[in-house]
Amino acid sequence: MNIKQYMQEMGQKARLASRAIAKADTGLKNKALLATADALDAARPILAAENEKDLANGRNNGLDSALLDRLALTPKVIDTMIEGLRQVAALPDPIGEITDMNFRPSGIQLGKMRVPLGVIGIIYESRPNVTVEAASLCLKSGNAVILRGGSEAIHSNQAIARCIAQGLAAADLPAATVQVVETTDRAAVGELITMPEFVDVIVPRGGKGLIERVSKDASVPVIKHLDGICHVYIDDQADLDKAVKIAVNAKTHRYGTCNTMETLLVAESVAAKVLPLLAEEYTAKGVELRGCEKTRAILADAIPATEEDWSTEYLAPILAIKVVSSADEAIDHINDFGSHHTDAIVTENYTLARRFLAEVDSSSVMINASTRFADGFEYGLGAEIGISTDKIHARGPVGLEGLTSRKYVVFGDGHIRD
Amino acid sequence: MNIKQYMQEMGQKARLASRAIAKADTGLKNKALLATADALDAARPILAAENEKDLANGRNNGLDSALLDRLALTPKVIDTMIEGLRQVAALPDPIGEITDMNFRPSGIQLGKMRVPLGVIGIIYESRPNVTVEAASLCLKSGNAVILRGGSEAIHSNQAIARCIAQGLAAADLPAATVQVVETTDRAAVGELITMPEFVDVIVPRGGKGLIERVSKDASVPVIKHLDGICHVYIDDQADLDKAVKIAVNAKTHRYGTCNTMETLLVAESVAAKVLPLLAEEYTAKGVELRGCEKTRAILADAIPATEEDWSTEYLAPILAIKVVSSADEAIDHINDFGSHHTDAIVTENYTLARRFLAEVDSSSVMINASTRFADGFEYGLGAEIGISTDKIHARGPVGLEGLTSRKYVVFGDGHIRD
């Protein structure tokens, strides 16, 4: 069987399973999730052995230590997977919710019902725990899913898939609700993203390269997350204590996350006061500072920033700093150079705070809070399949709701149109 | 200037204008809409003259009478455009609405704010009144728009565009908020749908061929409407009076609309009773009946239906009829052969009605009501940019809300993440 046939068959099975899982009740879905958690717990020795095969292959193929780390199914990673399944089971079921029920002048009663999308395709890279996270969110939201993990994690992913299959069987749900692609052939991805008859939406999780490739070639909608070039703007009416706390937290709480600040904007009239305070903290934490000319007039040690710095996601202890002459310049800079992910203002000015909220075109816009809060768990979504930088459908952190759609439902009593 | 440069420049202007219109207050947007209505009213002689140029060209180029009809800006069509503008001005402004405001355990206050998408590209065919309809919805929802109408309506569209420009000027809004592509070169469409830096979403309005072409080649999201293969299922527990009323209305109220029934499904145990009643009404209205074998055993005059009939959108006085042995078969048939647009059941059975609502995967699912109700005006959206057969973002009739997005807003007081 060639790859095309293999993927088509998988797609057909997923489409069929999607109808069963769409109508499965909440209790059954939770039963499958909890039984998967138990199966993972029982399979620890097998998971370790299968993961060791991937790690050994990785070492032989010269994978770097960061990649090997992400590949490792340590006991702690397994604990987190189990805990995650239990948390998803505890979340409210989004499916079937009916809202906006109203009678129309014609006499029909109209509402909107939340329903699954159908079949989700997930494409991800080395971390095998994504297999469980993604499967659990798709299952709870009533979707079938086809998972295509990185080839370097193939043994781990298949071992996890067998645990999920046990969980589905325990709840009498179709095995094809969660399918893991078993070939490492790259052509499988090309097929998965071009089967609109079987797959309703694709969620790529991984580096920007993967996401751009998938978006370019997909013939179905893609929920994507590109860069996080996040800003904090310290206004001339900022409370400087808050400003320092927030700007330090947004940059240094974690360096590798997409909601980490990459560029700091500072109002000219407070720059001389606040930048030295900040520089002291950043320098103590080993953050490299790159500044515009006005910044360097205050912080002599800062490296000159180039135009490229304004549109770079460092994911590292590096910060670009720009002094701006007005809030307008700050807002324009964010809209021009940012990635529409998460941006914050620090100000005590009511009117400007309202303007910043309305005019900054990002998936999360914040007043007097650290950009690091832009996260599915912090937002109370319970879990997160990713953070969308798209504007349509899901925007910002995507939880169960982002894997659903709302259809219209009409209740009549023999009503016809005049 | 070549087409690429021309479209890029238009895109740049639209992007800039989108920031101004995004923050324009409701009063200004309404002022522009009402001033456009007045400008159209004052321009009736000019509109007639420019439209006559298009009609003359159309006649010379041998356009058929249906196409010439759609092209004609009769006084009645102009009245409708003016009335439409006033209705859109009277609609509530969706922009800025904040919902779901809650405090999170971290202390931040989280909400979701409705905001414009940014720049919308609309591609449509012969009807020049779409220029006003689409522009008014985009403007009210705070978006800039680039309109690309059919080349056969170019003079009419430009005359309408000048009225819109007057309306925008009266409210001091940027002229580039609404731009009409002035070249009839087809390459302009190719450019418009591949400028993600300037255009956020494309809405094609027209025949299936246009929509498929645009969807295939676009590099930005497309809100699309493909076929409407709608069903009515008459259950064995249907009230047959309601069934006849609904099945007649769904087919014969209008033949050319996407929410018209194309296939009728009838439960076997009531077929012998209800089909002759229906056939009498359909025959009186000149509807051609095509039936499965069981249908033809009851209605001897029906033409044999082929497999192709189940997936054909006739848009004509033709109806396919299938007798089914169970509600399951009806639901499966709808999900397999329908276009996920609008489907209705006629039944008095509570349990089955609930099942049909949950299991039929269509943008509108109805109980005891005619499919003809699936319409933006009937649903109270006030206006409609189209009916989406997509599952993500907007599904079903798309009004102002479908042209917006929701971003997260976070209110803090110096909050940082631990």
Side-chain angles (χ1 to χ4, degrees):
Chain A
M1 183 156 55
N2 66 27
I3 296 287
K4 190 182 180 72
Q5 285 171 324
Y6 172 76
M7 292 305 295
Q8 291 267 322
E9 205 167 279
M10 202 169 228
Q12 263 162 347
K13 284 190 208 161
R15 177 60 77 210
L16 268 179
S18 75
R19 293 195 187 156
I21 191 70
K23 62 186 180 188
D25 68 31
T26 312
L28 280 184
K29 293 188 287 189
N30 290 346
K31 188 174 179 184
L33 291 167
L34 295 173
T36 300
D38 293 343
L40 284 171
D41 200 23
R44 284 176 188 266
I46 298 165
L47 291 171
E50 294 298 312
N51 186 238
E52 184 48 40
K53 290 185 195 167
D54 289 330
L55 289 170
N57 286 341
R59 283 186 294 262
N60 289 340
N61 295 330
L63 289 193
D64 67 30
S65 65
L67 222 56
L68 288 170
D69 269 359
R70 279 149 68 190
L71 195 49
L73 276 182
T74 63
K76 205 180 149 211
V77 171
I78 296 174
D79 289 346
T80 307
M81 292 195 297
I82 291 172
E83 180 53 27
L85 283 160
R86 293 184 177 145
Q87 282 173 4
V88 172
L91 289 176
D93 188 340
I95 298 306
E97 174 200 46
I98 299 186
T99 57
D100 306 302
M101 277 279 276
N102 282 297
F103 281 98
R104 299 290 313 144
S106 62
I108 60 169
Q109 191 178 19
L110 178 72
K112 295 187 97 169
M113 180 190 272
R114 195 171 289 286
V115 291
L117 287 173
V119 178
I120 318 274
I122 314 251
I123 299 161
Y124 51 110
E125 293 177 328
S126 49
R127 292 170 51 228
N129 45 319
V130 172
T131 309
V132 163
E133 277 175 39
S136 64
L137 291 170
C138 291
L139 173 60
K140 181 78 184 221
S141 55
N143 293 288
V145 61
I146 299 176
L147 296 152
R148 200 332 175 139
S151 56
E152 64 280 9
I154 186 81
H155 295 97
S156 312
N157 286 338
Q158 290 186 13
I160 292 171
R162 287 191 293 271
C163 296
I164 299 172
Q166 286 176 47
L168 290 166
D172 273 328
L173 291 172
T177 304
V178 178
Q179 296 180 89
V180 172
V181 176
E182 295 197 349
T183 168
T184 57
D185 191 323
R186 285 188 151 226
V189 172
E191 293 300 327
L192 181 59
I193 64 179
T194 53
M195 314 193 291
E197 64 281 33
F198 301 128
V199 177
D200 295 292
V201 63
I202 293 285
V203 184
R205 288 186 55 167
K208 198 176 169 185
L210 169 79
I211 295 169
E212 283 180 339
R213 260 194 330 274
V214 165
S215 307
K216 195 175 151 288
D217 296 333
S219 64
V220 293
V222 177
I223 297 178
K224 63 179 169 293
H225 167 210
L226 292 168
D227 341 31
I229 302 172
C230 303
H231 301 74
V232 172
Y233 166 55
I234 301 178
D235 179 48
D236 58 6
Q237 293 182 49
D239 175 321
L240 294 190
D241 287 340
K242 294 178 191 169
V244 170
K245 257 172 67 183
I246 288 169
V248 169
N249 185 262
K251 181 71 230 179
T252 69
H253 184 254
R254 275 181 69 188
Y255 295 113
T257 48
C258 58
N259 54 17
T260 296
M261 167 176 66
E262 304 291 15
T263 301
L264 173 69
L265 303 170
V266 182
E268 196 155 15
S269 62
V270 296
K273 195 162 170 194
V274 77
L275 281 178
L277 298 173
L278 281 167
E280 196 180 336
E281 298 228 32
Y282 288 135
T283 306
K285 290 179 190 274
V287 177
E288 174 186 314
L289 304 180
R290 302 185 185 179
C292 67
E293 267 186 46
K294 288 178 184 170
T295 301
R296 297 186 62 241
I298 300 164
L299 304 178
D301 292 344
I303 296 168
T306 64
E307 192 73 6
E308 211 191 323
D309 282 298
W310 310 134
S311 40
T312 298
E313 184 182 24
Y314 302 116
L315 298 170
I318 303 171
L319 177 67
I321 306 178
K322 188 181 167 97
V323 172
V324 294
S325 58
S326 67
D328 283 321
E329 191 187 337
I331 292 172
D332 285 345
H333 181 97
I334 292 169
N335 285 335
D336 287 339
F337 294 96
S339 64
H340 310 287
H341 189 298
T342 299
D343 299 287
I345 187 173
V346 187
T347 190
E348 296 301 313
N349 182 304
Y350 161 85
T351 301
L352 178 58
R354 286 183 83 218
R355 267 193 60 207
F356 191 87
L357 274 190
E359 295 180 20
V360 169
D361 183 26
S362 299
S363 71
S364 289
V365 186
M366 305 187 170
I367 305 170
N368 295 347
S370 168
T371 55
R372 285 282 296 135
F373 282 111
D375 172 291
F377 293 92
E378 290 294 332
Y379 283 3
L381 306 183
E384 181 185 286
I385 194 108
I387 296 188
S388 165
T389 53
D390 289 324
K391 284 188 184 179
I392 77 160
H393 192 64
R395 191 174 187 186
V398 182
L400 291 175
E401 232 184 70
L403 300 177
T404 67
S405 150
R406 294 206 300 163
K407 67 184 182 191
Y408 285 98
V409 289
V410 171
F411 302 84
D413 190 28
H415 287 81
I416 58 171
R417 252 183 97 172
D418 288 331
Chain B
M1 184 155 57
N2 67 26
I3 295 287
K4 189 180 182 71
Q5 285 171 324
Y6 172 77
M7 292 306 294
Q8 290 267 322
E9 206 167 278
M10 201 168 229
Q12 262 161 348
K13 284 189 205 162
R15 178 60 78 209
L16 268 179
S18 75
R19 294 196 187 157
I21 191 70
K23 62 186 179 190
D25 67 32
T26 311
L28 280 183
K29 292 188 286 190
N30 290 345
K31 188 173 178 184
L33 291 166
L34 296 173
T36 300
D38 293 344
L40 284 171
D41 199 25
R44 284 175 186 269
I46 298 166
L47 291 170
E50 294 298 312
N51 186 238
E52 184 47 41
K53 290 184 196 169
D54 289 330
L55 289 170
N57 286 341
R59 284 186 293 262
N60 289 341
N61 295 330
L63 289 194
D64 67 31
S65 66
L67 222 56
L68 288 170
D69 269 359
R70 278 149 68 189
L71 193 51
L73 277 181
T74 62
K76 202 179 150 214
V77 171
I78 296 174
D79 288 346
T80 307
M81 292 195 294
I82 291 172
E83 180 53 27
L85 283 159
R86 292 182 177 145
Q87 282 173 5
V88 173
L91 289 177
D93 188 339
I95 298 305
E97 174 199 46
I98 298 186
T99 57
D100 306 300
M101 278 278 275
N102 282 298
F103 282 98
R104 299 290 313 144
S106 62
I108 61 169
Q109 192 178 18
L110 178 73
K112 295 187 95 168
M113 182 191 270
R114 195 170 289 285
V115 292
L117 287 174
V119 178
I120 318 275
I122 314 251
I123 299 161
Y124 51 109
E125 291 176 329
S126 50
R127 293 170 51 228
N129 45 321
V130 173
T131 309
V132 162
E133 278 176 37
S136 65
L137 291 170
C138 291
L139 173 60
K140 182 77 184 225
S141 54
N143 292 288
V145 60
I146 300 176
L147 295 152
R148 194 349 170 127
S151 55
E152 63 282 8
I154 187 83
H155 295 97
S156 311
N157 285 339
Q158 290 187 15
I160 292 171
R162 287 191 292 272
C163 296
I164 299 172
Q166 287 176 50
L168 290 167
D172 273 329
L173 291 171
T177 303
V178 179
Q179 297 181 87
V180 172
V181 176
E182 296 198 348
T183 168
T184 57
D185 191 323
R186 285 190 151 224
V189 172
E191 294 298 328
L192 180 60
I193 65 178
T194 52
M195 313 192 292
E197 64 280 31
F198 301 129
V199 176
D200 295 292
V201 62
I202 293 285
V203 185
R205 287 186 51 165
K208 198 176 169 186
L210 169 78
I211 295 169
E212 283 181 338
R213 257 193 332 274
V214 165
S215 307
K216 195 175 151 291
D217 296 334
S219 64
V220 295
V222 176
I223 297 178
K224 62 180 170 295
H225 167 209
L226 293 168
D227 340 31
I229 302 171
C230 303
H231 301 76
V232 172
Y233 166 56
I234 301 178
D235 180 48
D236 58 6
Q237 292 182 49
D239 173 322
L240 294 190
D241 287 340
K242 293 178 192 169
V244 170
K245 256 172 69 183
I246 288 168
V248 169
N249 185 262
K251 181 70 231 180
T252 69
H253 184 253
R254 275 181 69 188
Y255 295 113
T257 49
C258 58
N259 55 18
T260 296
M261 168 176 65
E262 303 292 16
T263 300
L264 174 68
L265 303 171
V266 182
E268 195 156 14
S269 62
V270 295
K273 194 160 172 197
V274 76
L275 281 178
L277 298 172
L278 280 167
E280 194 179 336
E281 299 227 31
Y282 287 135
T283 307
K285 292 181 191 271
V287 176
E288 174 186 315
L289 303 181
R290 302 187 185 177
C292 67
E293 266 185 46
K294 289 177 183 169
T295 302
R296 295 185 64 241
I298 300 164
L299 304 178
D301 291 344
I303 296 168
T306 64
E307 192 73 6
E308 211 191 323
D309 281 298
W310 311 134
S311 40
T312 298
E313 183 182 24
Y314 302 116
L315 298 170
I318 303 171
L319 176 67
I321 306 179
K322 187 180 168 95
V323 171
V324 295
S325 57
S326 67
D328 282 320
E329 190 187 338
I331 292 171
D332 285 345
H333 181 97
I334 292 169
N335 285 335
D336 286 340
F337 294 97
S339 64
H340 310 287
H341 189 297
T342 299
D343 299 287
I345 187 173
V346 187
T347 190
E348 297 300 315
N349 181 304
Y350 161 85
T351 301
L352 178 59
R354 284 183 85 221
R355 268 193 59 206
F356 191 87
L357 275 190
E359 294 180 21
V360 169
D361 183 26
S362 300
S363 72
S364 289
V365 186
M366 304 186 170
I367 305 169
N368 294 346
S370 168
T371 55
R372 285 283 296 135
F373 283 110
D375 172 291
F377 293 93
E378 290 294 332
Y379 283 2
L381 306 184
E384 180 185 285
I385 194 107
I387 295 187
S388 165
T389 53
D390 289 323
K391 285 188 182 178
I392 76 159
H393 192 64
R395 190 172 185 185
V398 182
L400 291 175
E401 235 184 66
L403 300 176
T404 67
S405 150
R406 294 206 300 163
K407 68 184 180 191
Y408 285 98
V409 289
V410 171
F411 302 84
D413 190 28
H415 287 82
I416 58 171
R417 249 182 97 173
D418 286 333

Coordinates of all heavy atoms in Angstrom, one line a residue, chain B residues 50 69 103 153 165 206 214 251 285-286 372 374:
Chain B
E50 N -24.3 55.4 -16.4 CA -23.1 54.6 -16.3 C -23.5 53.1 -16.4 O -22.9 52.3 -17.1 CB -22.3 54.8 -15.0 CG -21.7 56.2 -14.8 CD -20.6 56.4 -15.9 OE1 -19.8 55.5 -16.1 OE2 -20.7 57.5 -16.6
D69 N -30.1 41.1 -16.6 CA -31.0 41.4 -15.4 C -30.3 41.7 -14.2 O -30.5 42.6 -13.5 CB -32.0 40.2 -15.1 CG -33.3 40.3 -15.9 OD1 -33.4 41.3 -16.7 OD2 -34.1 39.4 -15.8
F103 N -12.3 37.7 36.9 CA -11.0 37.7 37.6 C -10.5 36.3 37.6 O -11.2 35.4 37.8 CB -11.1 38.3 39.0 CG -11.2 39.8 39.1 CD1 -12.4 40.4 39.2 CD2 -10.1 40.5 39.0 CE1 -12.5 41.8 39.2 CE2 -10.1 41.9 39.0 CZ -11.4 42.5 39.1
A153 N -19.5 44.9 -15.1 CA -20.2 46.0 -14.3 C -19.3 47.2 -13.9 O -19.6 48.0 -13.1 CB -20.8 45.4 -13.0
A165 N -17.4 57.2 -1.8 CA -16.3 58.1 -1.5 C -16.9 59.4 -0.9 O -16.4 60.0 0.1 CB -15.5 58.4 -2.7
G206 N -20.3 34.5 -5.5 CA -20.6 34.2 -6.9 C -20.8 32.7 -7.1 O -21.1 32.0 -6.1
V214 N -10.9 30.7 -6.2 CA -10.3 31.6 -5.2 C -9.8 30.8 -4.0 O -8.7 31.1 -3.5 CB -11.4 32.6 -4.8 CG1 -11.0 33.3 -3.5 CG2 -11.7 33.6 -5.9
K251 N -39.2 23.5 -1.2 CA -38.8 23.3 -2.6 C -39.3 24.5 -3.5 O -38.6 25.0 -4.3 CB -39.4 22.0 -3.2 CG -39.1 21.8 -4.6 CD -37.6 21.4 -4.8 CE -36.8 22.2 -5.9 NZ -35.4 21.8 -6.0
K285 N -47.2 22.8 -9.6 CA -46.3 23.9 -9.7 C -45.2 23.6 -10.8 O -44.2 24.4 -10.9 CB -45.6 24.2 -8.4 CG -46.6 24.7 -7.3 CD -45.9 25.0 -6.0 CE -46.9 25.3 -4.9 NZ -47.3 26.8 -4.8
G286 N -45.3 22.5 -11.5 CA -44.3 22.2 -12.5 C -43.0 21.7 -12.1 O -42.0 21.9 -12.7
R372 N -36.0 27.2 4.0 CA -35.9 28.5 3.4 C -35.6 29.6 4.5 O -35.3 30.7 4.2 CB -37.2 28.8 2.7 CG -37.3 28.2 1.3 CD -36.4 28.9 0.3 NE -36.9 30.2 0.1 CZ -36.1 31.3 0.0 NH1 -34.8 31.2 0.1 NH2 -36.7 32.5 -0.2
A374 N -33.1 29.6 6.5 CA -31.7 29.8 6.7 C -31.2 31.0 5.9 O -30.8 30.9 4.7 CB -30.9 28.6 6.3

